[in-house]
Amino acid sequence: MADNVVIYWRPGCPFCMTLKMAVRDRVERATWRNIWEDPEAAAYVRSVNDGNETVPTVVIDGVPHTNPSPLKVRKALGD
């Protein structure tokens, strides 16, 4: 698991599913936090998205990215 990548997501989100498919061979390298099951995760997402629960929100090396490109996340997860 990559300590430097945290992916905030929720079930049914098409953008989250697109990201998950794009990183499918690296999915276990990230920490995945379901905002519907984790109130702290939901609060964090709202804090970096003007009060909105916009997902996927991906934190790479401590910097949040709202709906980043799958390529950016793949690069962060390494080879």
Side-chain angles (χ1 to χ4, degrees), residues 7-16 33-58 64-68:
I7 300 172
Y8 296 87
W9 71 286
R10 67 167 174 77
C13 167
F15 302 106
C16 298
R33 295 185 67 184
N34 180 342
I35 67 166
W36 282 358
E37 294 180 354
D38 184 341
E40 288 180 16
Y44 175 78
V45 168
R46 287 191 303 272
S47 78
V48 298
N49 289 299
D50 298 321
N52 298 306
E53 290 185 351
T54 306
V55 289
T57 294
V58 181
H65 304 271
T66 304
N67 199 15

